[in-house]
Amino acid sequence: MQPNTANFDPLIDVPPARYVVGIDLGTTNSAVTYIDTAELPWKIRVLLISQWVSASETESLDTLPSFYYQPIAGTTSFDFCVGAYARDETARTSGRGIASAKSWLCHSAVDRLAALLPWHGMDDVQRLSPVEVSAAFLSHIRSTWDQQFPGQPLADQDVVLTLPASFDEVARELTVAAAALAGLSRVVLIEEPQAAFYAWVYKHDSNWDSQVAVGQKILVCDIGGGTSDFTLIRVRKNSGETIAPNKSNSLSESAQRIQFHRVAVGNHLILGGDNLDLAIAKFLEQKLTDGGKLEPYQWDVLVGSSRTIKEQLLSDDGVDSITLNLPGRGSKLIGGSLQTKVQRQEIRELVLTGFLPIVDLFDQPALLQSGFQEFGLPYANDAAITRYLAHFLTTHATAGEVAEDLSTKSSPGELSNRRSLMAQARPEVILFNGGFFASNVLRETVIRQISQWFRTPEEPNWEPTVLENDRLDLAVARGAAYFGMVRRNQGVKIAATLARSYYIGIGGDPPQAICIMPGSAESGQSFALENRTFKLTISQPVEFTLYVSSIRLADQPGHILNVDPEQLTALPPIRTVLKTKSRNEKRELSVQLRIGLTELGTLDLSCHELDTDRAWKLQFDVRSTTQTDRSEHVGTGEAEEVLDESLWNECQLVIASVFGDTQDEGSNSNQPSSGQPFDPKTLITRLSAVVGINRNQWPLSLLRRIWQSLIEMESGRRRSPQHEARWLNLLGFSLRPGYGVALDDWRVTETWRNVSGKQIHAGPNIRQESLILWRRLAGGLSRGQQMALAEPWLAALRGLERQLLGKSTKGMALSLRREESVEVWRLLGSLELIHVAQKRELGELILNLKEKPKMSKARDAMVWALGRLGQRRPVYGPLNTVLPPDNIGHWIASFLGQSSSHPLEQLAIVQMARRTDDRYRDIDNASRQSVMNWLERQQASTHLIDLVGQVGKFDEEEQGRVFGEVLPPGLRLE
């Protein structure tokens, strides 16, 4: 049979694929459904996915648990597996399995393209990035499909992939990247709550129109393993668009009169089943240890066990109690085991009190940081799902509201403001989705809470209508396949708008923004800001500050408003450099912006020059969000102080008197009478005299302008070794710490291009100034750049160690003298993005050498570097660059054996021992107490001792010592 080719034009279209495939790439479970369009009427079928269920047995199941497991080499016939066996082994072992990869795709505090999973895995386990793990699930699905349909490979079918409605642009792009890595380059995305609603329409094909009515608001409450997703759908009169049938041959007359509009989505919340597992594990840990803490390997097993306990005790037909046995390790496998009995009622109370408490409709989610640090994921600050739901409903009370939506509501004019908002916020209908709601008790608790919020004296017994969906684990995949047919104009369509408005900052006091994309936009729409012209400079970096709002959905393109942080959320800015065929073209252009919404739900922006056909496409600068070697603009220092232009002009002349063209500057009063450049040694003193303050107090706005002038006068460093040394020194000083101001990533890139491997003059002074420059800019360097800096110096230090220990150095390049190693140690200590193994090696080198008499001049630098290498909280790097506490125990012990110390040693040991409340980073309690006792004996400051005993932050002076010198005003490391 041939595929259904409705609306297919063979002259202009590619023949549609025979199969439409829906893939739910879930946090805990994934599922696949498909439609054979050659079958009439078409039906949605479930793909059975073959997977390992034990070390020697495979089975085909209708879901694929989203777990990745690497067994010990030689114990199985496979190197890794995904699915049921991976899930079970991840729960039984520590450091070999990967869970919740989907949650890591939206974790901006780590490099999501870096190989960091399993989080704190065993040494022999291969690390993967969240994108690679997601691709592994999709690759397995693709392999399964291709085996079952050898003549119709999955890569050639219409694949619809689901993702949370609240995923931002970055997470969406990473999901697409994972699909491409799995060989699925043709995918369409759909939001999971919409897919769940499509599944309900499909299931109730014959009577869905009798269960909803025009004017109603439908709440889709989707809580899965990793996220809580809220979506609002309005039921409206059909605007005249013909609705094609789905399974049956015709739709009822009433169905033809109804149209669904998705009008609001909630903010992204990493809050779901994983949080329940953690909460249960925390509760059980207290029972097992009498208020203490388990070892990390035991905690991993406990979290896996908690997942099983949750499912068994919260299910409707679950047991009343479970006995938990937590095994010991090694020789203490029996004697070291822990046991406790877990009651059904205590787990229910824990979950209901912590996650579904009864709250007021106008309560706000708490802003305190989540206590769940064990997985390294940025879990929602408040565990109370009901508070987030209340906030969502009141925030979007009028979302998409038009006249017919009010037809079934009381007149707001007859009510108080509070009751008016309650009337507008009330959802008449609810659709539950996600594994969280597999438990009736959780579903009924939410219904009871919503009923309580919206009951009135006139309707004391009101409660929402609940739409039934069977097989919550398959609903999203079914809806995805259904949406694939909707795209072929078959089925009932949800008119899904963007549900977020986007803005670009345009300056002003107070700051203002202009709407570039309204929340009512749909995929494929484009807009042009024809009444707004922007001035852009060719061949220079430009930046657009972006904002998003899920509240102001009625703003239209071109609408200008003041930036209100309560309504607009800042996004990573758009940064770009407009290039032309002529590299020397540098002039200001007048351009207009054009904006389009892609099928992937991301924005395309382009600059179009007036009166020409030249255009430049702008890209979101998502590098700082997807890669930790790119730091987003997090500083406020540029707002601290802005130098008067007349003073800046004088500063520029002073710089030009040293590095500028003497022929152009010879007549200037800042030039010596001889016409020769000023001595570079006096440059800092002269600049400080012009500005009137010490150089450590120069504002960031001045520092970055000094950097710009130095880059423009780069040729001036060629005059002498003294000129190059001063140029390098001031260049690094003016750009430290390599981030904190908009466009610093571009500045660091330009610095690397001009300096790396391009020293003009030879000599130890030039080499030392280069080391200082890169140490100052380390926070802005990419991982590749840091590795390029580290590897040759690490090799030189290996040779130095062998020499000092009296070992043979034959074949080793010894280009590093002891007295020159000071800045090398400091540079290597500041490179937080190098491999953990290299950090370990550097730490061991320091321990072996720091007490050698011949290294006495470098000892302070080595101690400083050891503190940075072993720190528990990075200055700028991601958490996956932190050394495990087991690696630094003997580093700490080397200090504790000293009877006296100086402040630098005290700071180093605090960096290695400070408390984070993350068991994977914190040292054990006995070691912590030893460190605190030692610090007290050394008469260290109370604040340093407190940082070891409780979570806290370095003060301004301590931050400067950690960084290695005074930070620019307005910047903080934490």
Side-chain angles (χ1 to χ4, degrees):
M1 300 181 68
Q2 296 300 314
N4 191 327
T5 57
N7 300 307
F8 166 63
D9 186 339
L11 297 178
I12 59 175
D13 294 331
V14 176
R18 172 171 174 173
Y19 292 95
V20 173
V21 183
I23 301 178
D24 172 16
L25 185 63
T27 305
T28 307
N29 289 288
S30 297
V32 184
T33 64
Y34 64 94
I35 295 169
D36 183 352
T37 62
E39 179 183 20
L40 293 176
W42 51 263
K43 297 179 180 179
I44 299 178
R45 304 185 185 278
V46 177
L47 179 74
L48 296 180
I49 305 173
S50 176
Q51 55 200 279
W52 292 100
V53 294
S54 72
S56 59
E57 182 183 6
T58 63
E59 190 175 332
S60 293
L61 306 175
D62 52 14
T63 63
L64 177 76
S66 302
F67 293 80
Y68 182 103
Y69 177 72
Q70 297 180 55
I72 297 173
T75 60
T76 64
S77 60
F78 47 83
D79 296 328
F80 72 91
C81 69
V82 299
Y85 182 65
R87 175 198 59 205
D88 297 342
E89 288 302 298
T90 298
R92 285 194 286 262
T93 61
S94 173
R96 311 200 71 86
I98 300 173
S100 306
K102 183 176 178 178
S103 295
W104 288 92
L105 284 177
C106 51
H107 187 358
S108 59
V110 299
D111 182 351
R112 288 170 273 182
L113 299 178
L116 52 87
L117 299 176
W119 190 243
H120 300 285
M122 304 297 286
D123 289 340
D124 64 327
V125 170
Q126 180 186 5
R127 299 297 203 279
L128 299 173
S129 73
V131 173
E132 290 172 321
V133 179
S134 300
F137 301 142
L138 292 171
S139 294
H140 186 87
I141 289 169
R142 179 187 178 190
S143 176
T144 298
W145 174 278
D146 290 351
Q147 289 175 11
Q148 295 186 32
F149 300 91
Q152 298 284 342
L154 185 60
D156 294 340
Q157 309 312 309
D158 285 348
V159 177
V160 180
L161 188 60
T162 70
L163 76 178
S166 53
F167 256 24
D168 61 17
E169 286 72 17
V170 177
R172 289 174 183 240
E173 290 185 9
L174 291 175
T175 303
V176 174
L181 189 60
L184 303 177
S185 56
R186 296 171 49 200
V187 297
V188 172
L189 302 182
I190 183 175
E191 299 166 0
E192 289 162 3
Q194 281 192 71
F197 189 75
Y198 276 130
W200 175 81
V201 172
Y202 173 79
K203 174 178 170 56
H204 299 276
D205 175 58
S206 61
N207 67 343
W208 63 260
D209 53 305
S210 65
Q211 299 185 50
V212 296
V214 170
Q216 288 182 327
K217 184 192 294 183
I218 302 172
L219 167 67
V220 182
C221 193
D222 183 6
I223 303 178
T227 57
S228 291
D229 238 348
F230 306 128
T231 290
L232 289 178
I233 296 173
R234 292 277 191 181
V235 185
R236 293 181 176 148
K237 293 179 181 177
N238 186 16
S239 59
E241 180 181 355
T242 300
I243 302 177
N246 48 323
K247 290 188 299 179
S248 58
N249 292 322
S250 63
L251 291 176
S252 68
E253 187 177 342
S254 62
Q256 291 282 353
R257 294 198 298 265
I258 291 177
Q259 190 172 43
F260 298 111
H261 287 251
R262 196 285 313 275
V263 295
V265 296
N267 293 326
H268 186 68
L269 297 173
I270 300 187
L271 178 59
D274 286 349
N275 300 75
L276 268 67
D277 301 339
L278 282 171
I280 293 171
K282 287 262 190 182
F283 170 74
L284 296 177
E285 180 182 44
Q286 299 300 299
K287 294 185 67 172
L288 289 165
T289 64
D290 237 0
K293 264 196 170 185
L294 294 168
E295 291 296 317
Y297 76 90
Q298 291 178 307
W299 171 254
D300 286 344
V301 177
L302 178 59
V303 171
S305 300
S306 297
R307 187 178 298 117
T308 304
I309 289 171
K310 173 192 67 179
E311 292 169 355
Q312 292 183 357
L313 295 185
L314 291 181
S315 65
D316 300 327
D317 55 353
V319 297
D320 290 330
S321 65
I322 294 176
T323 299
L324 169 68
N325 288 289
L326 194 63
R329 190 183 221 183
S331 61
K332 294 185 178 181
L333 189 61
I334 304 298
S337 64
L338 300 170
Q339 186 181 90
T340 188
K341 196 167 188 177
V342 191
Q343 301 291 337
R344 176 187 182 96
Q345 189 57 37
E346 61 185 350
I347 295 301
R348 284 195 171 190
E349 288 179 4
L350 172 71
V351 171
L352 294 178
T353 302
F355 293 88
L356 296 176
I358 301 300
V359 301
D360 186 80
L361 178 61
F362 297 94
D363 279 358
Q364 297 288 315
L367 299 178
L368 296 176
Q369 184 178 356
S370 168
F372 295 141
Q373 302 294 323
E374 275 72 18
F375 282 0
L377 286 166
Y379 290 110
N381 294 329
D382 192 336
I385 294 171
T386 41
R387 262 194 285 272
Y388 286 105
L389 179 56
H391 181 64
F392 171 74
L393 292 174
T394 54
T395 297
H396 299 285
T398 60
E401 199 161 80
V402 292
E404 61 262 30
D405 297 329
L406 300 174
S407 60
T408 60
K409 300 181 185 293
S410 304
S411 171
E414 300 172 1
L415 303 170
S416 66
N417 288 338
R418 182 183 173 97
R419 290 194 60 196
S420 174
L421 184 58
M422 288 174 61
Q424 292 174 309
R426 188 177 82 178
E428 289 80 12
V429 181
I430 299 178
L431 176 66
F432 290 110
N433 190 62
F436 184 89
F437 292 116
S439 167
N440 273 329
V441 67
L442 301 183
R443 214 165 41 244
E444 290 167 359
T445 301
V446 174
I447 295 169
R448 187 165 58 250
Q449 173 69 95
I450 292 176
S451 300
Q452 179 181 313
W453 283 337
F454 298 108
R455 281 176 178 165
T456 65
E458 295 79 19
E459 297 178 285
N461 298 316
W462 178 88
E463 63 179 31
T465 300
V466 177
L467 303 179
E468 291 299 327
N469 234 356
D470 67 339
R471 290 300 302 268
L472 296 182
D473 54 343
L474 298 176
V476 168
R478 285 173 172 167
Y482 185 91
F483 175 65
M485 297 305 292
V486 170
R487 294 184 75 244
R488 299 189 181 198
N489 294 321
Q490 298 184 55
V492 180
K493 179 181 178 181
I494 302 171
T497 60
L498 183 59
R500 302 177 183 90
S501 296
Y502 286 85
Y503 306 79
I504 278 182
I506 56 175
D509 186 16
Q512 292 185 314
I514 183 171
C515 180
I516 60 172
M517 178 69 69
S520 59
E522 297 186 31
S523 298
Q525 276 192 281
S526 60
F527 303 87
L529 303 186
E530 297 178 349
N531 298 323
R532 175 67 57 173
T533 300
F534 293 85
K535 296 291 186 180
L536 299 181
T537 303
I538 292 293
S539 301
Q540 290 291 324
V542 294
E543 174 176 284
F544 294 95
T545 303
L546 284 179
Y547 301 92
V548 63
S549 175
S550 58
I551 300 173
R552 300 185 60 94
L553 303 181
D555 292 338
Q556 294 302 305
H559 178 73
I560 297 175
L561 68 158
N562 291 336
V563 174
D564 180 355
E566 294 294 322
Q567 296 187 335
L568 303 184
T569 301
L571 293 174
I574 296 175
R575 296 170 182 163
T576 190
V577 177
L578 306 186
K579 297 289 188 179
T580 64
K581 293 181 180 179
S582 172
R583 293 177 58 89
N584 297 322
E585 183 179 1
K586 288 187 178 182
R587 62 187 182 89
E588 194 175 72
L589 302 179
S590 295
V591 299
Q592 289 183 336
L593 295 184
R594 297 180 187 174
I595 307 97
L597 183 61
T598 70
E599 286 287 341
L600 299 181
T602 58
L603 301 183
D604 276 342
L605 290 93
S606 57
C607 293
H608 291 255
E609 184 180 10
L610 296 183
D611 303 323
T612 76
D613 58 357
R614 295 200 298 181
W616 296 265
K617 184 178 180 180
L618 298 179
Q619 299 287 345
F620 278 109
D621 182 6
V622 298
R623 295 169 298 173
S624 61
T625 316
T626 58
Q627 304 173 32
T628 50
D629 57 14
R630 296 288 183 178
S631 297
E632 65 179 289
H633 177 207
V634 296
T636 58
E638 64 268 53
E640 294 292 310
E641 183 180 349
V642 178
L643 202 66
D644 179 84
E645 279 300 301
S646 61
L647 287 178
W648 165 244
N649 291 335
E650 290 187 48
C651 290
Q652 200 167 24
L653 290 173
V654 170
I655 297 170
S657 72
V658 177
F659 298 111
D661 190 332
T662 56
Q663 294 179 348
D664 294 339
E665 303 292 341
S667 60
N668 191 282
S669 60
N670 280 283
Q671 280 289 344
S673 57
S674 64
Q676 295 300 313
F678 272 108
D679 185 347
K681 293 180 181 179
T682 67
L683 178 57
I684 301 297
T685 303
R686 294 169 60 213
L687 285 172
S688 294
V690 171
V691 180
I693 52 177
N694 180 278
R695 71 169 186 166
N696 288 333
Q697 298 303 313
W698 290 352
L700 277 164
S701 58
L702 170 62
L703 289 169
R704 296 313 188 251
R705 293 183 83 169
I706 289 174
W707 175 89
Q708 182 70 41
S709 288
L710 291 170
I711 287 293
E712 291 173 353
M713 302 178 197
E714 184 268 340
S715 61
R717 66 168 166 148
R718 300 173 179 272
R719 289 182 178 140
S720 71
Q722 293 75 25
H723 279 81
E724 183 169 24
R726 176 53 64 195
W727 187 85
L728 291 169
N729 181 277
L730 187 54
L731 192 74
F733 182 82
S734 63
L735 193 46
R736 74 192 199 286
Y739 58 91
V741 180
L743 298 175
D744 272 354
D745 59 337
W746 174 79
R747 294 184 182 98
V748 170
T749 299
E750 287 294 293
T751 302
W752 183 268
R753 185 174 63 84
N754 280 277
V755 177
S756 180
K758 296 180 180 179
Q759 280 66 51
I760 308 302
H761 303 93
N765 191 34
I766 301 300
R767 185 160 64 178
Q768 178 172 299
E769 291 296 347
S770 296
L771 291 167
I772 294 172
L773 179 145
W774 296 128
R775 188 247 304 162
R776 283 170 164 167
L777 305 188
L781 296 172
S782 70
R783 174 175 280 106
Q785 290 166 339
Q786 291 198 9
M787 293 295 296
L789 289 171
E791 287 171 352
W793 290 117
L794 186 54
L797 289 173
R798 293 186 190 114
L800 179 62
E801 180 195 33
R802 294 186 65 83
Q803 184 184 56
L804 291 173
L805 296 179
K807 298 180 180 180
S808 172
T809 59
K810 186 177 180 180
M812 302 185 73
L814 296 177
S815 58
L816 179 65
R817 293 184 293 180
R818 297 189 301 273
E819 59 272 20
E820 291 181 329
S821 70
V822 172
E823 290 302 333
V824 174
W825 293 114
R826 287 166 62 83
L827 169 63
L828 293 175
S830 69
L831 301 179
E832 295 187 358
L833 302 183
I834 62 175
H835 295 311
V836 168
Q838 292 174 312
K839 292 184 179 183
R840 277 196 296 263
E841 182 183 2
L842 278 167
E844 298 304 317
L845 283 171
I846 291 172
L847 288 186
N848 290 338
L849 298 179
K850 70 182 178 71
E851 302 303 332
K852 299 290 182 184
K854 292 183 178 181
M855 296 299 294
S856 59
K857 292 183 178 179
R859 189 180 188 281
D860 284 355
M862 296 165 77
V863 169
W864 179 89
L866 194 67
R868 286 290 296 271
L869 291 167
Q871 63 194 350
R872 300 296 85 201
R873 183 174 295 182
V875 170
Y876 61 83
L879 295 179
N880 53 289
T881 62
V882 175
L883 282 170
D886 290 348
N887 292 167
I888 62 167
H890 63 294
W891 297 10
I892 293 173
S894 70
F895 289 101
L896 299 185
Q898 300 175 187
S899 58
S900 62
S901 67
H902 55 73
L904 194 58
E905 292 172 320
Q906 296 170 14
L907 181 67
I909 201 170
V910 169
Q911 286 177 269
M912 291 186 281
R914 65 185 298 194
R915 187 169 188 148
T916 68
D917 273 350
D918 178 348
R919 75 183 72 232
Y920 294 106
R921 285 186 283 158
D922 283 346
I923 61 174
D924 61 81
N925 288 332
S927 298
R928 182 185 312 285
Q929 190 58 54
S930 297
V931 169
M932 294 174 68
N933 293 340
W934 182 83
L935 288 170
E936 289 176 357
R937 292 196 300 270
Q938 304 303 315
Q939 298 182 335
S941 71
T942 302
H943 185 242
L944 285 181
I945 298 173
D946 288 344
L947 286 176
V948 177
Q950 57 194 4
V951 178
K953 294 183 177 182
F954 284 125
D955 61 29
E956 188 173 342
E957 179 185 350
E958 291 161 349
Q959 285 192 61
R961 289 161 61 197
V962 169
F963 176 62
E965 62 183 304
V966 177
L967 281 163
L971 281 185
R972 289 188 60 85
L973 298 181
E974 301 176 345

